[in-house]
């Protein structure tokens, strides 16, 4: 089933990165290495790791700025991040955690400590990975492979529509307000207007097509819901 857990090491010092990579490989992980923010972003666009080990002091964009950005992005927001840094005082630790890091290790650290912390953050994130495949009616979504199908026919979705559908399917038959969807799907993006939700729901319905599209229902005055039994529009409105 699942392969060895993938670990993205973002570290500009080759000697340190190599040492971590050797130790991780030795302990059953599959490390990849990025030496700056641009190559780290490319790695993430390519495949999501199970954990990111992120150096604070990087050339160009800092580890702190990267952590903030990845936390704010729907695709990367759930990937555990452990900050690695020579800076160990409390103010830095707090800044790292505020930026969205799940944990923080001051250099130098032992492999044993690193592995213990990695296992801890992966454990905390595990429930979401377990529930990665969801089915509602003939609609199937696989969160691990980013695939969606309806009655066996593959459906192509953009990243936001995917995330939106994943949330609606995980909480099917329940009505979600636009504000709730913004919170859950987009995160703490207070500057995004609620109309943005309508735009993405429209795109989602179009992508799902004439059969699966109507499963995403508008509940007037309340929001949206995904349902296995799509009712005629009139019934939906009368029911609320
Ligand atoms: Ca560094």
């Amino acid at each position: 089933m699942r392969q060895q857990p993938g670990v993205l090491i973002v570290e500009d010092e080759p000697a340190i990165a190599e040492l971590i990579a050797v130790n991780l490989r030795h302990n059953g992980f599959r490390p990849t290495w990025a030496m700056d923010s641009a190559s780290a972003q490319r790695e993430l666009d390519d495949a999501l790791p199970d954990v990111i080990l992120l150096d604070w002091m990087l050339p160009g964009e800092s580890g702190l700025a990267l952590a903030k950005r990845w936390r704010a992005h729907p695709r990367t927001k759930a990937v555990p991040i452990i900050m690695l840094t020579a800076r160990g005082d409390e103010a830095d630790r707090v800044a790292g955690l505020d930026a969205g890091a799940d944990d923080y290790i001051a250099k130098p650290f032992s492999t044993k400590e690193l592995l213990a912390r990695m296992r801890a953050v992966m454990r905390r994130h595990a429930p979401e990975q377990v529930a990665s495949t969801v089915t509602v009616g003939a609609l199937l979504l696989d969160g691990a492979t980013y695939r969606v199908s309806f009655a066996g026919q593959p459906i192509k979705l953009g990243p936001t529509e995917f995330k939106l559908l994943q949330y609606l399917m995980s909480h099917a038959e329940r009505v979600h307000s636009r504000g709730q969807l913004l919170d859950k799907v987009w995160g703490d993006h207070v500057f995004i207007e609620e109309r943005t939700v309508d735009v993405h729901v429209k795109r989602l319905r179009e992508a799902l097509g004439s059969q699966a599209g109507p499963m995403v229902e508008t509940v007037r005055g309340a929001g949206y819901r995904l349902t296995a039994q799509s009712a005629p529009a009139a019934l939906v409105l009368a029911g609320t």
Side-chain angles (χ1 to χ4, degrees):
M1 260 209 25
R2 213 178 155 71
Q3 295 180 328
Q4 299 163 308
V7 183
L8 175 62
I9 306 166
V10 189
E11 165 65 75
D12 58 314
E13 286 157 75
I16 296 178
E18 183 57 27
L19 186 67
I20 296 173
V22 165
N23 280 310
L24 289 183
R25 230 172 271 132
H26 193 73
N27 283 281
F29 291 90
R30 197 167 28 85
T32 48
W33 172 41
M35 63 185 308
D36 55 36
S37 59
S39 43
Q41 186 63 57
R42 273 197 300 278
E43 289 289 342
L44 280 188
D45 291 343
D46 198 42
L48 287 183
D50 295 275
V51 182
I52 301 171
L53 302 180
L54 179 58
D55 185 29
W56 183 305
M57 299 293 280
L58 292 168
E61 203 172 2
S62 76
L64 199 66
L66 277 178
K68 271 187 195 157
R69 196 169 81 210
W70 291 337
R71 268 303 164 261
H73 196 280
R75 185 163 179 266
T76 47
K77 66 187 293 185
V79 181
I81 298 174
I82 300 177
M83 303 264 328
L84 306 179
T85 174
R87 315 166 73 150
D89 66 55
E90 202 194 343
D92 286 339
R93 207 157 37 234
V94 169
L97 296 173
D98 276 352
D102 294 84
D103 205 350
Y104 184 105
I105 303 189
K107 293 176 191 168
F109 49 82
S110 69
T111 304
K112 219 173 147 182
E113 184 186 4
L114 177 65
L115 290 172
R117 287 177 188 249
M118 284 173 54
R119 291 195 185 104
V121 296
M122 286 169 71
R123 242 192 334 264
R124 266 184 267 150
H125 285 255
E128 289 172 46
Q129 288 168 3
V130 171
S132 65
T133 300
V134 210
T135 53
V136 177
L139 200 55
L140 184 145
L141 178 146
D142 185 343
T145 59
Y146 274 78
R147 291 205 171 99
V148 178
S149 61
F150 180 78
Q153 293 299 307
I155 288 168
K156 283 202 84 154
L157 293 179
T160 304
E161 284 72 47
F162 181 89
K163 184 88 189 174
L164 178 61
L165 181 64
Q166 189 172 36
Y167 184 76
L168 289 172
M169 287 179 71
S170 308
H171 306 84
E173 310 299 338
R174 266 185 262 167
V175 181
H176 308 278
S177 71
R178 290 167 178 78
Q180 282 166 342
L181 290 173
L182 274 182
D183 278 353
K184 302 295 184 188
V185 179
W186 279 263
D188 304 321
H189 280 204
V190 284
F191 48 87
I192 292 180
E193 293 176 59
E194 295 202 340
R195 253 205 45 77
T196 305
V197 177
D198 302 337
V199 172
H200 287 283
V201 166
K202 185 166 178 280
R203 280 192 207 156
L204 175 61
R205 281 190 184 126
E206 283 165 4
L208 289 175
S210 57
Q211 278 186 291
M215 290 172 74
V216 183
E217 294 180 340
T218 304
V219 181
R220 200 168 64 180
Y224 295 105
R225 93 171 132 214
L226 186 108
T227 178
Q229 286 102 28
S230 58
L235 267 180
V236 175
L237 297 181
T240 50

